[in-house]
Amino acid sequence: HPGGKLRELGAEALTDAELLAILLSTGTKAKTAEQIAQEILDKFNSFKGMANQPLEKFLDFKGLGDVKIIRIAAAFEIARRIAKDNTT
């Protein structure tokens, strides 16, 4: 589980898909959170590619509902604010 790996090895040891899977928390009966995370990253190529998408684009993924999409949006907003603080 990515959360356990983060706790044991630190966040820097996780793949992008594992980090995103932690935000997603759960998957579906057919796919794990990590599999869904990898699908999202494959479609948008990177976190940066994801960050530039309207929230509606995330509804295309089976297993993503409003709560998970809102978590993703909040994480990207936090990252934007951190980046903005670092430039001033």
Side-chain angles (χ1 to χ4, degrees):
H1 183 268
K5 185 175 175 182
L6 185 146
R7 194 172 29 254
E8 289 178 29
L9 303 175
E12 61 280 349
L14 274 64
T15 65
D16 289 352
E18 289 171 326
L19 289 168
L20 183 55
I22 289 171
L23 285 178
L24 298 180
S25 183
T26 59
T28 65
K29 288 181 183 177
K31 294 181 186 173
T32 66
E34 284 182 72
Q35 291 170 320
I36 295 168
Q38 191 60 60
E39 284 181 9
I40 296 166
L41 288 165
D42 289 346
K43 179 169 174 96
F44 299 124
N45 299 314
S46 65
F47 286 138
K48 187 174 182 179
M50 286 175 60
N52 296 321
Q53 300 300 319
L55 296 181
E56 296 79 35
K57 290 262 186 165
F58 291 93
L59 292 171
D60 295 342
F61 295 94
K62 186 165 175 51
L64 289 190
D66 287 344
V67 171
K68 291 178 183 179
I69 293 168
I70 288 166
R71 278 190 203 134
I72 292 168
F76 281 116
E77 182 56 27
I78 290 168
R80 277 188 206 95
R81 292 179 188 193
I82 291 169
K84 184 179 174 187
D85 285 349
N86 287 337
T87 61
T88 55

